[in-house]
Amino acid sequence: PHLSEALKQTVIVENRGGAGGNVLEVAVLTAQLHARSDPRGAWSKQWQRQIRQPCAGLDLEAGWFLEHVGVTDLDGDGQAEITLASHTFCGGGIDPHQLHISLIDGGTRYGIEGETRVSLPGEAPFGGERHGSANLATAPAPFVQHLEALWSALRDQPITM
């Protein structure tokens, strides 16, 4: 199956007691890679990426951008990299969503996280801040270019659930 078919569009919501007796809901997005060296052998988990969005009493959303999840070989080394892109939201009204973009190369994850930019008619845009993972500065140039292009494509994209 295609990678995006294997990545479930399932959001697990955990309910926990929050401060002051409020219910704290947590949306959990999980992606896992399982592999096996022998076609008849057992599958073993290679890595797991989990994004948790806690939220107390506000609108809670989380989801994958399945059209931006994929497998590439950007550096041409014969080893596939996996790109994951998702969003989370805890808020009310018109607030930015959180963006999570990762490129996983073997056991190394590079990423950019931040928030969408909100543009309202007649007002200056707000949001859009971002930060790269600590190792992004040392990532191969094709990885950085891929992540930057994906960030640019998603930062201003309206998110509908």
Side-chain angles (χ1 to χ4, degrees):
H2 188 271
L3 177 65
S4 63
E5 293 171 7
L7 186 65
K8 300 283 189 232
Q9 184 74 6
T10 302
V11 177
I12 298 170
V13 178
E14 303 171 352
N15 288 309
R16 298 183 177 174
N22 293 332
V23 173
L24 178 66
E25 293 183 328
V26 181
V28 181
L29 292 172
T30 304
Q32 298 177 341
L33 176 67
H34 294 260
R36 61 183 179 185
S37 55
D38 179 349
R40 287 177 265 186
W43 291 91
S44 64
K45 183 167 62 171
Q46 304 297 302
W47 54 256
Q48 175 174 302
R49 170 85 167 111
Q50 193 170 73
I51 300 164
R52 304 174 70 78
Q53 175 64 62
C55 195
L58 297 170
D59 295 334
L60 174 63
E61 296 176 7
W64 298 103
F65 291 108
L66 293 178
E67 65 277 15
H68 296 290
V69 170
V71 178
T72 55
D73 184 12
L74 298 169
D75 58 358
D77 68 354
Q79 178 176 320
E81 305 96 29
I82 297 175
T83 301
L84 301 172
S86 64
H87 64 93
T88 57
F89 179 75
C90 175
I94 301 172
D95 292 315
H97 285 237
Q98 298 302 305
L99 294 177
H100 315 272
I101 303 170
S102 298
L103 185 142
I104 302 166
D105 180 39
T108 305
R109 184 185 78 82
Y110 304 97
I112 298 175
E113 295 193 356
E115 57 187 34
T116 58
R117 184 166 47 195
V118 177
S119 297
L120 299 173
E123 296 185 26
F126 62 94
E129 289 79 22
R130 53 158 270 187
H131 61 277
S133 58
N135 64 352
L136 189 59
T138 61
F143 294 2
V144 175
Q145 292 164 358
H146 177 71
L147 289 167
E148 292 284 352
L150 191 49
W151 173 264
S152 294
L154 294 176
R155 177 191 62 205
D156 296 319
Q157 180 177 358
I159 297 173
T160 57
M161 292 297 293

